[in-house]
Amino acid sequence: MKKFIEKLIEKVFAVSGLVTTVVILLIVVFLFKEGSGLFSSPTVEKGYALCVNAANPVKHISSSDIKKIFNEAIINWSETEAREFNEKIIPYHFEGRKFKRLYKEEEFAEKLGEKIAQERGILAFIPEEYLPKNAKGVKILSGNTVIPKDFFMGKEWIPTATPAPQFGVLPLILGTLLVSLVAILIATPLGIGVAIYLSELAQSRIRDILKPAIELLAGIPSVVYGFFGLVVLVPIVQKTFNLNVGETAFTGSIILAIMALPTIITVAEDAMRSTPRAMREASLALGATHWQTIYKVIIPYAISGISAAIVMGIGRAIGETMVALMVTGNAAIIPTSLFEPVRTIPATIAAELGEAPHGGVHYQALFVLGCVLFIITLAISITAELISKRQHNKGL
């Protein structure tokens, strides 16, 4: 009977592990599947198309160029992909009311075709239902889709822009990395210092109180940290540095550093405590002081665990959502200073996914952002795993 129960428990554990693995794989597949259609989606708004004169050699116009053309920041076709086509750009936005006054609705397509054929430099943004069919002198840019270069190297994230939404993730990636790296630069020395104190200097009674208290910090909901940052830290940062707003990358970094501390302290302290007692005693017997033993024996022995703690802290900071959403300012701009508002990838997904039309370009772009974040965190996890498997005595 006892053996049967043991076998049953083993089977339950095996099935649990299999189900967990399958669910994780399905989530990853779903993530990439939902984002896979982005780079075959049109650059312009759904239901609209771009048309040019047949003499225009242009084949693709990036979303940023479309925005600049309709904002009159680009005025000649030679400034775009069609460098040899030296014609002034005539941006044309279809106005239904004006056409209804002049023509019948069934004549819209024909009249639009005539207008496009007459203007060599025109770029027309018109509804698909009124596209000129078989009209001479008209070229429809049907292959004008979002390309990876525009997405990953784009400098503007404006998903509601007209006529072409801007899906440039560079500001979001840089904002995420800036906040996370500064947070880990703040948290690392503090975390390792506390780990050294708990492992080597604190009395047993103090350690028994502080260690559970620090581990308890990891269980505090992130929204609580966000409220603390918004109510307490944001005004302090604003007044101290004489800023217009206190919601900056620096503010977010401080809160994320506080959130990463429990992970760094716990993992690093466990690694230091695993140093064999014989090594400590041998060091002291050879005449080394307590501090010399710490930084010449214990820290080198535990360096793999300490490195893993730092990497895990980075992972904790880089995937945080609520704090980034509440205290970083949510400005999707390329950061030039720590004291400017920024926006991170997790905050963008959390803020916009509920408003993005299901299956639309915005929806797909947010899922690609999720893929980017997944790859970053996966790389961090793999790094932490490789570091933790190193031989403990490699640093000696």
Side-chain angles (χ1 to χ4, degrees):
M1 185 65 180
K2 187 177 179 180
K3 289 185 178 180
F4 172 76
I5 294 174
E6 290 177 352
K7 289 289 183 182
L8 181 62
I9 293 173
E10 289 178 9
K11 294 293 183 182
V12 170
F13 287 165
V15 171
S16 299
L18 178 62
V19 170
T20 302
T21 303
V22 171
V23 169
I24 292 172
L25 289 175
L26 289 176
I27 291 172
V28 173
V29 170
F30 172 77
L31 180 67
F32 281 87
K33 176 179 174 295
E34 291 297 306
S36 61
L38 175 65
F39 300 116
S40 59
S41 299
T43 304
V44 296
E45 291 182 61
K46 186 178 181 180
Y48 288 81
L50 293 175
C51 295
V52 295
N53 188 280
N56 194 328
V58 70
K59 296 180 181 178
H60 178 271
I61 309 176
S62 68
S63 58
S64 60
D65 281 352
I66 295 172
K67 177 175 175 287
K68 291 176 182 177
I69 287 171
F70 281 88
N71 289 342
E72 298 185 357
I74 293 179
I75 59 174
N76 196 291
W77 281 106
S78 61
E79 300 175 54
T80 67
E81 181 189 278
R83 300 185 184 280
E84 68 279 6
F85 192 60
N86 189 18
E87 287 283 339
K88 182 180 179 181
I89 298 176
I90 304 173
Y92 177 77
H93 198 300
F94 176 77
E95 297 179 9
R97 293 180 181 178
K98 181 178 178 181
F99 257 66
K100 285 180 181 179
R101 290 198 302 267
L102 298 175
Y103 312 107
K104 297 180 180 179
E105 189 167 350
E106 55 268 21
E107 297 178 314
F108 284 3
E110 179 185 349
K111 297 301 179 182
L112 284 169
E114 291 176 3
K115 182 174 182 62
I116 296 168
Q118 291 170 3
E119 301 286 356
R120 281 173 55 86
I122 195 169
L123 176 64
F125 175 67
I126 58 179
E128 291 180 344
E129 57 183 309
Y130 301 137
L131 283 177
K133 298 178 181 178
N134 303 319
K136 294 182 179 179
V138 178
K139 182 168 70 172
I140 302 171
L141 298 179
S142 56
N144 204 64
T145 57
V146 179
I147 60 175
K149 181 182 176 182
D150 293 342
F151 184 79
F152 291 106
M153 301 305 295
K155 298 179 180 180
E156 291 184 302
W157 179 270
I158 314 174
T160 57
T162 301
Q166 304 298 301
F167 296 114
V169 302
L170 191 59
L172 308 182
I173 294 175
L174 293 178
T176 303
L177 295 177
L178 175 65
V179 171
S180 302
L181 292 178
V182 173
I184 215 64
L185 288 176
I186 296 172
T188 296
L190 294 174
I192 294 176
V194 174
I196 291 173
Y197 174 75
L198 290 176
S199 174
E200 305 301 324
L201 303 174
Q203 298 177 0
S204 298
R205 186 175 58 183
I206 297 176
R207 185 187 299 118
D208 293 341
I209 296 173
L210 288 181
K211 185 74 182 294
I214 290 170
E215 292 175 348
L216 186 63
L217 292 175
I220 297 176
S222 59
V223 69
V224 175
Y225 284 107
F227 273 123
F228 169 78
L230 194 61
V231 174
V232 177
L233 195 59
V234 165
I236 292 174
V237 171
Q238 184 177 1
K239 292 177 182 178
T240 303
F241 298 99
N242 194 25
L243 304 173
N244 293 326
V245 293
E247 293 92 344
T248 64
F250 181 69
T251 313
S253 297
I254 293 176
I255 299 296
L256 290 178
I258 295 171
M259 296 181 67
L261 275 174
T263 300
I264 296 174
I265 293 170
T266 301
V267 177
E269 195 264 346
D270 289 341
M272 293 178 188
R273 296 268 294 175
S274 66
T275 304
R277 184 176 178 180
M279 294 185 67
R280 289 185 172 89
E281 293 176 348
S283 175
L284 295 171
L286 290 171
T289 64
H290 192 184
W291 279 105
Q292 287 175 328
T293 301
I294 289 173
Y295 71 80
K296 288 190 176 180
V297 175
I298 296 172
I299 291 179
Y301 183 87
I303 192 65
S304 60
I306 294 172
S307 302
I310 295 170
V311 175
M312 290 172 68
I314 295 174
R316 175 81 165 95
I318 214 166
E320 182 52 50
T321 302
M322 289 307 301
V323 167
L325 189 63
M326 296 173 74
V327 302
T328 58
N330 284 317
I333 56 175
I334 294 179
T336 57
S337 167
L338 263 178
F339 301 101
E340 291 179 350
V342 296
R343 175 178 273 198
T344 66
I345 292 176
T348 302
I349 296 172
E352 299 181 7
L353 189 58
E355 300 177 359
H358 186 274
V361 182
H362 187 191
Y363 177 88
Q364 293 169 338
L366 292 174
F367 270 89
V368 175
L369 277 182
C371 296
V372 172
L373 188 63
F374 170 78
I375 292 171
I376 293 173
T377 53
L378 179 64
I380 291 171
S381 299
I382 292 174
T383 303
E385 185 69 19
L386 293 175
I387 290 172
S388 65
K389 287 184 177 180
R390 289 171 55 189
Q391 295 295 327
H392 286 296
N393 59 355
K394 194 169 183 178
L396 294 175

